[in-house]
Amino acid sequence: MCEQRKQEFTIVGRSERKVDGIALVTGKPKFVADIDLSNMLYVKILHSPYAHARITEINTSRAEALPGVMCVLCSKNTPSTRYTTAGQGYPEPSPYDTRMFDTKVRFVGDRVAAVAAETEEIALQALKEIEVHYEELSPVLSVDAATALEAPIIHDEKDATGIFDPVRNISAKIDINVGDVKQGFAESDSTVETTCETQYAQHTPIEPHVVLSYLDEDGRLVLRTSTQVPFHTRRIVSYVLGIPLHRIRVIKPRIGGAFGTKQEILLEDLAGLVTLRTGRPALIEFTRQEEFVSARTRHPMRIRVKLGAKKNGILHAIEMEALSNTGAYGAHSLTVLSNVGSKTLPIYNKARNVRFSGKAVYTNLPVAGAYRGYGAPQGYYPLEVAMDELAGKLGLDPIELRRRNHIRCGESSPIFEEIGEGREGVAQTINSCELERCLEIGARRIGWAKKRGLRTRNGPWIHGLGMSIHMQGSGIAQVDMGAATIKMNEDGSFNLLVGATDLGTGSDTILGQIAAEVLGVPLSKVIVYSSDTDFTPFDVGAYASSTTYVSGTAVKRAAEEVRGQIVGVAAAMLESGMTNLTIKDEQVISIDGRSVTLAEVCQRAMYQVDQFQIGATESCVQDQSPPPFMSSFAEVAVDTETGVVKIVDYVAVVDCGTVINPKMAQGQIEGALANGIGYALTEVMLFSSTGRVQNATLFDYKILGALDIPPIDITLLDSYEPTGPMGAKSVAEIGINAPIPTIANAIYDAVGVRLTKTPFTPERVLSAIRSHSV
Amino acid sequence: MKIELIVNGKQQELDSAPGETLLHLLRRIGYKGVKKGCESGDCGACAVLLDDRVVNSCLVLAAKADGHRVTTVEGLAGQDKTGELHPVQEAFLEHGAVQCGYCSPGMIIAAVDLLAHNPNPSDQEIKEGISGNLCRCTGYVKQIEAIRIAAEKMRKSADV
Amino acid sequence: MALSNLKEYVRPDELDVALSLVKERGTSARVIGGGIDLVRSSSPDIETLVDLSHLSLSYVRQTDKGVAIGATTTLTEILEAPALENYLQGVVVEMLHQVGAPPLRNLASMGGTLASAHPWSDVITLFLALGAQVTLYNGVTRMVPLSDLYASRALLSPAIITEALLPAYAKGTAAAFMKFSRTKFDIAILNCACLISTQNGDCKGVRLTAGGTPQLATLLPAAAEVLLGRRLNQTSIGQAAGIARETTLVRDDLRASGNYRRELVYAGVKRCLTCVSRQLSGVSQ
């Protein structure tokens, strides 16, 4: 067991209001497209109508001749550099298989050309004037077609790098062995095996991708963009366009949601090139249709899980084999695949024999990328369904089976070391884990003992209960880096400058809370700014649940350094030893009760004696990635006449270490659960026989609305992660792992059918019920 | 064509092409609080009050709004010149109902309409009131709570 | 630009002026109610829009014949109308709560809804079951059953819908509506409605409809027929639902398969009839 180190906090642990909240609720122009620049050009993109084709000829002269058209871009007049759109740490573990405009198109929606014009209407008109001749190639529209013998080769270009096996359409591959699973299964008393398949699903931030580019007074390229990764954007745009990095400035204003889809460089290269070519500001906004077709999706996967256990219910062998569809390009193909195993298997660390293998294959379908959960939701589905089956087979309560097997404080898993982000991982011991309490509290709150297995009937409705447990990580150990700068102003306020990228999560607020806590000031005295590559220090960006843990630690360190400087100045003012001083309520107070205000400290440092700027920049790279943990429970009612699954109640109990801001942490979990419930029940991208997205609208791609949300009961456990800032871990992703297996298991409890394909549409559920009872 | 709108209490005579939507026009003249999310009435980010009812401004031709009152999120705070937030805005802030804030203007407008016509809504009625406003960040829990609390507050101040 | 070729937006003060505009401009002119479909269509063919909002056609009135609803009345105004609160146990209100969401219901007009005739329309599915009549104006005013409008769309060219009438029904009549959709803010993947009038507890008049099949709602005469002269009970309801399942024309679209819709017809008809049966036994007690 780990010790609980309780600390008393003043600002941390309080549901402070969002620092950017007033501007947001009053509709201030905080988002990318909310500023008007004179002389701005509108850019529209011509997308491929074919899933797989070679462009044999492209003629843009008629489009160029159209009055008002300023620039037409295509493969003929743009850089041919291969790169990855994935905004990841450098060098990126994703293959360089993308070109700004290629001579081959690989999915319906791929870039063919772009027009910049005086108005949107002219740009759209000009797109129609571009003549393109295609040589159609046979499209590869499923993972099975991609892996079939003599399948068409999607990436036959010679200049791509980092593709595992282009000839066999394999973007990435992984194979990890711990112990010997074959022998492990032979030694097991009981085994179960299940294969689950997940669908093409989309992030659908309410603000689609948007970028505004312009040249500043010194001719530098400024990209004001809706991104999770401003620094990666700067690096990748510099590389693709072949211009020096120092000639680019990336500004991230407020972001209208992202969930991973804005961890990609999808438009910035294009807007930047238009601006460089024309000298004029350029705006590119994806329409909702383009967002569906040409942005990013979650990797659809088919995953087989086999579990072997001893009679006592202790897991002895786990085998997980994943087949991932990365779509036309390999953005995040290896790393998402890795996470299928690395974020799931350590939770059952008792198994001595573990194999995780998989491949990510190319298809001529929309491109998959980073999406909240990053492979873990796909992995937990078969794992937690198999655990439910195993419990049944062993005659154990599913909670009891988890209790006997889950990881605990002070323990480790070889998987941590085996699987990293596209390379080996980092060994780590769990320093905080409240899974036992998560299980106990969750079971109580859902009424597990009373309600499960009863199959209570109410007309055509039958009730059932299901559960699952989960972990995620907090950043990527030894990869993710965050830095923070704090400088003091002479009224006793502070500027906190972070590269960490608040994309609506509230990270500006919680980072501000961490700084305010250390500096002994109210949050209102911390002016938080994120992010601008010219002014804020480097941060990899907002992904992998890294901000609270990694960037938060950088903020804490910077604040501590600044605090030290303040105390130093105050010591001179109060003629006291530094150790006799404390900072509280915006004052430095000595042991004998004398005090100076922070404003006075800064005024002295700025204007009077031994002048210097009180301030510091600190960085953080962590050696571990402490997982948040959760238990998830649902009561469902299944309509046996229509197959409709209604969630009657949802309970989640989460251990994310110290909770910096309770309302915001709850909000992260509620949002992730809502997204996950939609992923489980309604969301699915549908394709025509030629690979075209058939439901590229919010009219027919159904995300949940307010009326669809079940009662959600969240408990945040009091927990403490010794390596985290103020004891905190991260919390943004974990919730999305839970709904699919939890609901699947609840449906099984209700009607006795195992759903192995998402989403659990009424039609699919009804058909499963019917074929079960026949 | 020339149209007249009263936007947030201010009468304006504007030029508008006959096919221009109210969303396009409002953003063009500076009301950037009106957000564009789908331009097909499916998300509610562009919601404004037309006279006193919430509508998706992407589905309203500016010409149709000619001669009518339009209220955007920018017009809710400080209508009494104090700059004070509308109780719904206040509640959204206080109760964690805002995450990225992109759907907030539309949802706040929908809530203002709801509470103007139904000062004491049930949770079900609150959900229905914002059912046309999609949010991808929150799961709606905090918005529902915020609207419930704003309603209470507004009822109390109406009683005074 | 939503309607890129739109040239004029007219708001006549008289119905005759509106009609003559529609006649003169031919297919390039459209009558606009809420305008949702017109804006969504982004049709380049539309050059003239004739807005009916100055014709005093926004009303919901109780008359001796039933409840009259003016063409430009929004769905919200209908939903909030006192005259419909108790009409057939509030079935119209209950249906309207399930149509779209407030920002759409505040725009959508009754006339536009009937004229657009979306195959998934909840309003049309219920109004057909209720035996709604529509008033058309093409220089003269005439009232036709709503079903005629869909039997022959020629009735609308050129004519303007000015009113819908939901007939008054005697005691012993009840109606129900049922919608199936993927999320709550969604169009129906199938909807059903029924209206039953009884005499001494036996079904005397029965009208069943199903819409979003994915075609526009139609009556289900064979299923209705089996109930005539019988009491509503588990057996008769099951029989009617079974016949509806077998006889309703359904097909696949991206929202659901035809086979699944068949099951929804069964469940929908069964539930509508069960609901009506409950209402009727409540009345007789």
Side-chain angles (χ1 to χ4, degrees):
Chain A
M1 281 299 289
C2 297
E3 52 167 333
Q4 285 274 330
R5 262 191 282 169
K6 286 263 174 82
Q7 257 180 281
E8 290 299 318
F9 300 115
T10 316
I11 313 286
V12 160
R14 280 191 6 190
S15 291
E16 292 275 358
R17 290 178 168 202
K18 265 176 88 78
V19 292
D20 46 352
I22 289 189
L24 292 173
V25 296
T26 52
K28 291 288 187 293
K30 298 283 274 185
F31 295 87
V32 170
D34 291 349
I35 57 170
D36 292 316
L37 296 179
S38 57
N39 241 352
M40 191 168 76
L41 296 174
Y42 297 82
V43 181
K44 286 286 165 189
I45 299 167
L46 182 66
H47 299 286
S48 169
Y50 298 109
H52 199 190
R54 226 172 276 287
I55 297 172
T56 53
E57 204 187 319
I58 183 161
N59 186 344
T60 57
S61 53
R62 275 195 300 155
E64 276 156 6
L66 214 63
V69 170
M70 299 309 292
C71 175
V72 180
L73 299 173
C74 66
S75 59
K76 288 178 176 173
N77 61 355
T78 52
S80 61
T81 315
R82 292 266 166 213
Y83 65 103
T84 176
T85 58
Q88 300 177 285
Y90 180 77
E92 305 90 342
S94 295
Y96 280 24
D97 58 6
T98 306
R99 253 184 79 169
M100 269 191 89
F101 294 94
D102 212 338
T103 50
K104 189 181 180 188
V105 286
R106 297 180 180 80
F107 70 104
V108 177
D110 208 350
R111 270 190 200 172
V112 173
V115 171
E118 300 285 354
T119 68
E120 218 177 315
E121 287 75 27
I122 297 172
L124 287 169
Q125 182 60 36
L127 291 186
K128 295 183 193 151
E129 301 295 330
I130 299 173
E131 275 173 68
V132 192
H133 295 274
Y134 297 93
E135 177 203 334
E136 282 186 67
L137 304 168
S138 1
V140 176
L141 299 177
S142 69
V143 286
D144 295 318
T147 50
L149 273 177
E150 296 184 28
I153 301 171
I154 295 169
H155 283 277
D156 52 357
E157 68 273 15
K158 294 280 176 287
D159 55 344
T161 55
I163 300 175
F164 180 81
D165 183 354
V167 175
R168 285 192 217 148
N169 291 323
I170 301 174
S171 179
K173 197 170 176 185
I174 190 164
D175 196 348
I176 302 295
N177 279 286
V178 174
D180 182 341
V181 278
K182 216 170 157 194
Q183 198 184 329
F185 287 124
E187 292 164 1
S188 295
D189 298 314
S190 195
T191 62
V192 294
E193 187 170 343
T194 186
T195 301
C196 292
E197 214 172 303
T198 53
Q199 76 277 33
Y200 253 105
Q202 246 242 356
H203 314 65
T204 68
I206 307 301
E207 177 202 44
H209 285 77
V210 53
V211 58
L212 176 59
S213 66
Y214 56 93
L215 297 178
D216 71 8
E217 301 77 0
D218 302 316
R220 291 172 73 229
L221 178 63
V222 183
L223 299 166
R224 179 178 156 101
T225 181
S226 186
T227 184
Q228 295 171 239
V229 286
F231 288 90
H232 296 330
T233 300
R234 182 178 65 170
R235 188 191 72 242
I236 292 174
V237 170
S238 155
Y239 177 74
V240 175
L241 299 185
I243 56 171
L245 188 129
H246 71 266
R247 299 293 292 165
I248 303 172
R249 172 181 172 195
V250 177
I251 298 171
K252 175 219 69 93
R254 293 298 95 185
I255 303 305
F259 317 107
T261 192
K262 294 172 181 171
Q263 198 194 331
E264 304 276 331
I265 286 63
L266 296 184
L267 299 175
E268 293 89 346
D269 56 325
L270 197 49
L273 191 55
V274 167
T275 292
L276 290 173
R277 292 267 166 95
T278 61
R280 293 176 57 176
L283 175 73
I284 315 182
E285 292 177 279
F286 261 166
T287 61
R288 180 56 60 186
Q289 174 103 15
E290 288 177 302
E291 185 70 24
F292 270 108
V293 175
S294 301
R296 292 293 177 258
T297 70
R298 189 186 289 287
H299 291 80
M301 292 192 196
R302 185 192 298 152
I303 304 176
R304 182 180 63 84
V305 165
K306 188 173 178 185
L307 302 177
K310 297 284 198 180
K311 260 193 279 228
N312 60 5
I314 303 293
L315 287 170
H316 189 59
I318 307 178
E319 185 174 32
M320 184 183 265
E321 185 188 5
L323 179 57
S324 169
N325 180 355
T326 191
Y329 297 96
H332 302 269
S333 59
L334 172 61
T335 38
V336 165
L337 178 65
S338 304
N339 265 28
V340 170
S342 69
K343 294 287 182 279
T344 59
L345 298 170
I347 204 166
Y348 297 126
N349 66 334
K350 307 293 175 286
R352 288 188 198 146
N353 307 290
V354 183
R355 177 163 187 209
F356 172 63
S357 64
K359 52 192 173 189
V361 301
Y362 290 114
T363 59
N364 292 119
L365 288 169
V367 186
Y371 188 167
R372 194 178 211 168
Y374 207 75
Q378 293 98 313
Y380 273 112
Y381 176 20
L383 181 63
E384 286 301 273
V385 165
M387 285 296 280
D388 206 59
E389 277 186 55
L390 182 63
K393 212 164 171 184
L394 292 169
L396 281 174
D397 184 297
I399 296 178
E400 180 54 29
L401 180 64
R402 266 92 174 177
R403 199 174 275 137
R404 291 187 193 180
N405 285 286
H406 73 71
I407 196 164
R408 283 169 168 75
C409 209
E411 296 180 356
S412 185
S413 158
I415 298 295
F416 289 130
E417 196 173 354
E418 292 288 340
I419 319 175
E421 284 277 302
R423 61 181 199 190
E424 282 187 358
V426 181
Q428 69 171 350
T429 301
I430 298 296
N431 295 309
S432 59
C433 176
E434 295 295 331
L435 262 176
E436 278 172 275
R437 280 167 65 213
C438 289
L439 282 168
E440 179 202 318
I441 294 167
R444 191 163 10 115
R445 295 188 81 92
I446 199 80
W448 183 260
K450 275 178 295 182
K451 293 185 187 166
R452 185 175 168 270
L454 292 187
R455 299 203 172 164
T456 312
R457 216 175 222 289
N458 171 19
W461 298 89
I462 303 181
H463 288 244
L465 262 61
M467 58 84 55
S468 59
I469 59 171
H470 304 273
M471 57 171 259
Q472 194 77 25
S474 299
I476 309 164
Q478 296 179 358
V479 172
D480 283 348
M481 195 294 238
T485 297
I486 296 176
K487 63 188 182 69
M488 191 175 188
N489 303 309
E490 65 264 48
D491 64 347
S493 69
F494 299 86
N495 291 100
L496 169 60
L497 308 172
V498 287
T501 313
D502 192 334
L503 44 107
T505 50
S507 66
D508 282 2
T509 307
I510 64 121
L511 295 177
Q513 283 180 262
I514 291 171
E517 182 71 47
V518 175
L519 294 166
V521 296
L523 180 58
S524 59
K525 284 294 180 71
V526 180
I527 309 148
V528 189
Y529 184 70
S530 75
S531 323
D532 183 328
T533 56
D534 269 13
F535 302 119
T536 56
F538 178 80
D539 191 293
V540 288
Y543 57 88
S545 296
S546 62
T547 304
T548 302
Y549 182 68
V550 178
S551 312
T553 301
V555 169
K556 178 166 174 267
R557 287 177 186 166
E560 282 163 353
E561 171 59 30
V562 167
R563 183 191 168 95
Q565 293 174 15
I566 292 168
V567 171
V569 174
M573 291 168 83
L574 293 167
E575 294 173 339
S576 156
M578 281 179 67
T579 46
N580 295 331
L581 298 176
T582 53
I583 304 185
K584 210 185 153 194
D585 300 336
E586 303 183 68
Q587 290 189 318
V588 187
I589 306 159
S590 78
I591 221 162
D592 56 13
R594 288 174 307 130
S595 67
V596 287
T597 66
L598 290 185
E600 286 162 350
V601 168
C602 191
Q603 281 157 17
R604 175 180 165 110
M606 260 183 193
Y607 300 114
Q608 291 151 10
V609 185
D610 298 332
Q611 286 151 271
F612 76 111
Q613 166 71 61
I614 296 179
T617 298
E618 291 291 336
S619 306
C620 173
V621 179
Q622 296 275 17
D623 286 327
Q624 53 233 300
S625 173
F629 295 97
M630 80 181 278
S631 69
S632 159
F633 293 82
E635 176 179 353
V636 302
V638 182
D639 183 340
T640 49
E641 279 178 356
T642 65
V644 170
V645 175
K646 194 166 80 188
I647 299 173
V648 180
D649 227 332
Y650 206 107
V651 169
V653 188
V654 181
D655 158 17
C656 59
T658 297
V659 179
I660 308 280
N661 184 312
K663 284 215 164 107
M664 287 187 189
Q666 287 159 12
Q668 284 300 308
I669 297 157
E670 287 157 4
L673 288 174
N675 193 338
I677 294 169
Y679 183 33
L681 297 182
T682 63
E683 297 182 29
V684 57
M685 290 171 74
L686 301 167
F687 298 96
S688 73
S689 59
T690 56
R692 178 182 296 275
V693 183
Q694 289 175 299
N695 58 337
T697 60
L698 289 168
F699 190 75
D700 270 321
Y701 182 92
K702 300 312 292 184
I703 72 171
L704 302 190
L707 283 167
D708 303 303
I709 294 298
I712 297 178
D713 174 279
I714 289 169
T715 306
L716 299 170
L717 285 185
D718 189 26
S719 150
Y720 190 91
E721 168 56 43
T723 66
M726 279 79 181
K729 300 187 272 192
S730 291
V731 72
E733 295 181 276
I734 187 167
I736 204 167
N737 301 342
I740 290 179
T742 304
I743 294 167
N745 292 340
I747 292 172
Y748 180 79
D749 186 48
V751 293
V753 299
R754 291 258 173 232
L755 287 155
T756 54
K757 211 170 168 190
T758 50
F760 310 141
T761 60
E763 182 157 7
R764 208 169 260 165
V765 173
L766 186 67
S767 132
I769 294 172
R770 292 279 155 90
S771 49
H772 177 70
S773 46
V774 166
Chain B
M1 62 190 282
K2 285 251 182 286
I3 63 166
E4 270 188 30
L5 293 181
I6 303 165
V7 186
N8 299 336
K10 194 174 130 203
Q11 180 132 11
Q12 307 204 32
E13 190 171 311
L14 301 154
D15 277 312
S16 171
E20 186 176 26
T21 61
L22 184 59
L23 163 64
H24 190 271
L25 177 123
L26 288 170
R27 284 191 62 84
R28 181 164 64 76
I29 64 174
Y31 296 96
K32 306 291 190 186
V34 187
K35 298 296 180 211
K36 185 158 80 177
C38 70
E39 293 185 278
S40 53
D42 298 316
C43 79
C46 67
V48 300
L49 297 180
L50 181 59
D51 294 329
D52 60 348
R53 300 312 299 243
V54 59
V55 298
N56 289 319
S57 63
C58 69
L59 294 180
V60 180
L61 291 176
K64 185 178 156 73
D66 186 13
H68 292 268
R69 280 178 296 118
V70 174
T71 308
T72 72
V73 74
E74 289 99 329
L76 292 179
Q79 279 169 322
D80 53 356
K81 309 243 188 285
T82 60
E84 239 178 71
L85 296 180
H86 186 283
V88 173
Q89 291 173 311
E90 185 73 28
F92 264 54
L93 264 184
E94 182 62 29
H95 300 282
V98 182
Q99 282 194 30
C100 81
Y102 200 79
C103 74
S104 305
M107 200 173 297
I108 288 168
I109 287 283
V112 168
D113 176 354
L114 171 74
L115 299 185
H117 295 90
N118 181 0
N120 192 6
S122 65
D123 273 12
Q124 181 65 20
E125 288 166 333
I126 292 173
K127 289 179 183 181
E128 188 177 331
I130 56 168
S131 60
N133 299 83
L134 297 180
C135 168
R136 194 57 153 171
C137 295
T138 63
Y140 308 98
V141 181
K142 301 272 186 279
Q143 282 102 328
I144 295 162
E145 185 184 322
I147 295 167
R148 194 192 307 125
I149 288 162
E152 258 168 53
K153 212 167 143 190
M154 287 166 73
R155 286 199 305 275
K156 269 186 201 145
S157 65
D159 288 346
V160 172
Chain C
M1 192 70 56
L3 295 166
S4 49
N5 291 321
L6 187 65
K7 294 187 176 61
E8 50 177 357
Y9 190 95
V10 213
R11 214 174 293 202
D13 291 319
E14 285 174 44
L15 193 53
D16 279 318
V17 179
L19 184 69
S20 60
L21 271 167
V22 175
K23 279 184 169 166
E24 276 164 32
R25 304 289 197 278
T27 53
S28 70
R30 296 281 202 293
V31 169
I32 173 168
I36 294 176
D37 296 315
L38 293 168
V39 175
R40 280 179 68 117
S41 78
S42 300
S43 166
D45 306 335
I46 300 174
E47 295 176 7
T48 301
L49 286 177
V50 183
D51 182 327
L52 306 184
S53 63
H54 283 191
L55 300 179
S56 305
L57 292 175
S58 292
Y59 56 83
V60 180
R61 280 185 208 129
Q62 184 72 59
T63 70
D64 340 332
K65 290 192 188 123
V67 181
I69 305 169
T72 56
T73 317
T74 67
L75 298 189
T76 299
E77 286 163 346
I78 302 172
L79 197 156
E80 293 174 351
L84 285 165
E85 208 178 323
N86 294 315
Y87 176 80
L88 292 170
Q89 282 88 5
V91 69
V92 176
V93 174
E94 196 194 313
M95 176 273 296
L96 286 172
H97 275 294
Q98 300 174 58
V99 177
L104 298 172
R105 296 201 290 257
N106 288 330
L107 280 175
S109 67
M110 191 277 300
T113 303
L114 298 184
S116 287
H118 287 302
W120 57 75
S121 168
D122 300 324
V123 173
I124 293 172
T125 297
L126 179 63
F127 277 24
L128 280 177
L130 298 182
Q133 309 264 315
V134 282
T135 304
L136 305 175
Y137 183 75
N138 64 350
V140 290
T141 300
R142 63 183 173 138
M143 201 195 272
V144 300
L146 179 61
S147 49
D148 286 9
L149 195 63
Y150 304 125
S152 164
R153 294 303 300 270
L155 282 177
L156 273 181
S157 51
I160 293 171
I161 298 173
T162 57
E163 190 181 281
L165 178 78
L166 299 176
Y169 287 100
K171 246 186 150 183
T173 303
F177 171 82
M178 183 100 227
K179 172 179 179 172
F180 300 99
S181 56
R182 297 162 295 184
T183 60
K184 291 283 195 284
F185 177 29
D186 187 16
I187 57 165
I189 53 173
L190 193 108
N191 51 31
C192 287
C194 72
L195 177 98
I196 308 260
S197 346
T198 54
Q199 203 164 35
N200 306 322
D202 295 333
C203 295
K204 194 183 65 172
V206 179
R207 207 154 28 224
L208 294 171
T209 55
T213 56
Q215 286 101 322
L216 185 69
T218 53
L219 290 165
L220 310 177
E225 172 96 29
V226 79
L227 292 172
L228 284 178
R230 295 174 64 187
R231 277 174 195 263
L232 284 180
N233 53 33
Q234 244 186 340
T235 316
S236 63
I237 289 173
Q239 259 179 8
I243 293 172
R245 170 164 57 193
E246 300 317 314
T247 56
T248 306
L249 285 175
V250 290
R251 75 182 156 72
D252 299 351
D253 68 359
L254 64 92
R255 299 176 187 117
S257 74
N259 280 335
Y260 179 64
R261 286 195 161 95
R262 213 178 278 295
E263 298 305 321
L264 292 183
V265 170
Y266 177 82
V269 167
K270 187 171 141 186
R271 288 170 196 194
C272 279
L273 291 172
T274 308
C275 172
V276 158
S277 148
R278 230 176 268 140
Q279 287 178 36
L280 288 170
S281 57
V283 168
S284 63
Q285 275 160 15

